[in-house]
Amino acid sequence: MGNDIEEPLKNEEEFADFHAGFVALIGQPNVGKSTLMNRILGVDLAITTAKPQTTRNRILGVRTFPEKGQICFVDTPGIHKAKKRLNRAMVSTALDAMDEVDLICHVIDAAEYVDNFDRYDEVPSTEAFILDKLSEVNQPVFLLLNKVDLVKKKDLLLPVIADLSERYEFAEVVPVSAAKGDNIRRLVEVLIEHLPEGPPIFPEDMLTDQAERFIAAEFIREQILEQTHEEVPYSVAVEIERFVENAEKNMLEISAIIHVERDSQKGIVIGKGGSRLKSIGRESRARMQSFFHRKVFLETFVRVESEWSEDPNALQRFGYE
Ligand SMILES: Nc1nc2c(ncn2[C@@H]2O[C@H](COP(=O)(O)OP(=O)(O)OP(=O)(O)O)[C@@H](O)[C@H]2O)c(=O)[nH]1
Ligand SMILES: [Mg+2]
């Protein structure tokens, strides 16, 4: 009987002063939300590219700091003026994530914002839209000024912070560089400080709840974003048709369909004599092997699915709605 009483007590003691909770990363596209999450996780989980609208889903990334806390990041698509149904779904995903977290990090591209600050007559419209949405939430909101390594007009950094702080009562303002790692340790400390006290939410060694087939599809999409231009990256969805563990060969066997919206895009993705598709396959396979710690056999097919980005059934099938 004594044990029954002691167990929970021991547990409580073990996690005294431990903080755990969910943190949403929101902001405009391309500001470095996914890079920041990966930096703190220490793993390249979410795909990141130099093109806006890279992330299309809510992506959970968990990092446990022994005896200190567990941060459960919710990375989200960039908030932008959405026209297509796909884009509207992405923006909804980002806004919905704000409801389910303990803390919100509003990430801005400091290089972009600070260096243009003296040209702004008012807050740029998408940023104003985000600030407006934030006025409806009750959780603490951090303002993260990312890409400080790129800021040229350093003397404008403080005026920008003062201006934005006047428009919104941020719980903390933290300048960081996700790419270089500047000030990340400090950010982690204040994040943990602001999370509720309590035991870990997920097992301490857990990284994500994202399915392996989702991650495999994302690695392929990452290469398409890297290797194609103009409208092609935005017209591509990757569907994993087959994901099989071949225990005998200690290998993953993956078949993926790359959906595009037009014949011309199919030609671009395949490339001359299949060279582009080969390169997309080679690079994403390498990324899969290092992430899954297994050999990967990958086959890819390109298929035209006209206007899929406006089609509710297709969006659901690809996991965007
Ligand atoms: N120099 C510099 N580049 C950065 C920094 N953080 C991110 N980047 C770059 O900015 C680009 C966009 O980064 P992402 O992490 O994909 O941005 P995101 O906010 O997740 O973008 P979406 O998913 O499209 O909303 C990439 O090329 C990153 O390498 C930083 O602190 N400094
Ligand atoms: Mg992203």
Side-chain angles (χ1 to χ4, degrees):
M1 246 194 84
N3 273 348
D4 288 339
I5 300 166
E6 265 166 44
E7 281 269 344
L9 277 180
K10 188 173 150 240
N11 204 33
E12 254 169 49
E13 244 166 57
E14 193 184 338
F15 295 111
D17 297 329
F18 196 88
H19 295 238
F22 290 90
V23 175
L25 297 167
I26 65 136
Q28 295 192 48
N30 214 37
V31 297
K33 301 177 293 298
S34 303
T35 306
L36 183 66
M37 178 173 80
N38 290 346
R39 163 67 66 174
I40 297 177
L41 298 180
V43 180
D44 285 335
L45 168 68
I47 64 167
T48 66
T49 77
K51 293 194 175 78
Q53 298 170 30
T54 295
T55 305
R56 289 180 180 166
N57 304 75
R58 164 198 188 285
I59 299 173
L60 178 75
V62 182
R63 174 81 198 260
T64 308
F65 299 88
E67 286 166 42
K68 292 199 173 73
Q70 181 178 73
I71 310 178
C72 310
F73 286 106
V74 178
D75 184 21
T76 65
I79 296 169
H80 60 284
K81 290 197 182 74
K83 291 200 189 90
K84 285 185 184 178
R85 189 170 175 121
L86 166 67
N87 297 74
R88 289 200 301 274
M90 287 161 60
V91 173
S92 296
T93 297
L95 297 176
D96 289 350
M98 304 206 294
D99 295 335
E100 47 164 296
V101 295
D102 302 288
L103 197 159
I104 296 167
C105 285
H106 174 31
V107 187
I108 70 169
D109 179 336
E112 168 88 21
Y113 201 93
V114 173
D115 287 342
N116 290 306
F117 183 59
D118 41 7
R119 274 175 241 155
Y120 292 154
D121 292 326
E122 51 190 40
V123 177
S125 59
T126 307
E127 207 50 52
F129 173 79
I130 296 173
L131 289 176
D132 196 45
K133 287 288 169 196
L134 288 174
S135 71
E136 295 165 17
V137 307
N138 298 313
Q139 307 97 314
V141 179
F142 282 20
L143 174 65
L144 306 186
L145 296 136
N146 188 34
K147 307 197 189 184
V148 282
D149 56 295
L150 295 179
V151 174
K152 290 193 198 82
K153 302 178 182 166
K154 300 260 190 239
D155 53 320
L156 286 181
L157 200 53
L158 288 179
V160 163
I161 293 174
D163 180 71
L164 288 170
S165 301
E166 231 170 71
R167 295 172 194 280
Y168 194 90
E169 209 175 307
F170 294 104
E172 295 277 347
V173 179
V174 191
V176 291
S177 169
K180 302 264 188 265
D182 298 343
N183 220 18
I184 297 297
R185 188 190 291 256
R186 157 108 190 109
L187 172 62
V188 166
E189 275 169 15
V190 280
L191 281 175
I192 290 175
E193 229 172 72
H194 280 77
L195 289 179
E197 263 188 56
I201 296 161
F202 297 107
E204 291 180 42
D205 57 355
M206 181 169 139
L207 172 68
T208 186
D209 64 355
Q210 235 57 57
E212 287 186 323
R213 42 198 312 150
F214 169 82
I215 294 168
E218 287 288 272
F219 289 166
I220 296 171
R221 205 165 58 78
E222 180 174 51
Q223 285 310 313
I224 297 166
L225 277 152
E226 296 276 5
Q227 300 193 33
T228 66
H229 307 285
E230 282 151 31
E231 92 288 358
V232 180
Y234 305 101
S235 300
V236 161
V238 178
E239 194 180 21
I240 302 296
E241 201 182 32
R242 190 165 161 267
F243 190 106
V244 177
E245 180 102 50
N246 184 331
E248 214 169 274
K249 293 185 184 162
N250 188 27
M251 195 186 226
L252 286 174
E253 296 174 359
I254 302 172
S255 305
I257 306 171
I258 298 169
H259 296 274
V260 292
E261 299 195 285
R262 280 196 289 279
D263 275 328
S264 58
Q265 296 166 343
K266 181 173 174 178
I268 293 168
V269 171
I270 292 172
K272 255 202 191 118
S275 59
R276 177 66 60 223
L277 189 59
K278 214 181 236 174
S279 163
I280 289 165
R282 187 177 56 240
E283 299 297 323
S284 53
R285 191 176 76 98
R287 181 96 151 83
M288 288 176 204
Q289 294 194 149
S290 87
F291 189 89
F292 296 129
H293 303 293
R294 262 165 294 174
K295 273 207 167 311
V296 169
F297 170 80
L298 173 67
E299 48 180 6
T300 50
F301 307 91
V302 185
R303 215 174 269 171
V304 178
E305 176 147 348
S306 173
E307 303 289 324
W308 68 259
S309 62
E310 295 283 10
D311 174 10
N313 292 328
L315 290 176
Q316 204 159 40
R317 192 152 51 89
F318 301 152
Y320 298 134
E321 260 186 9

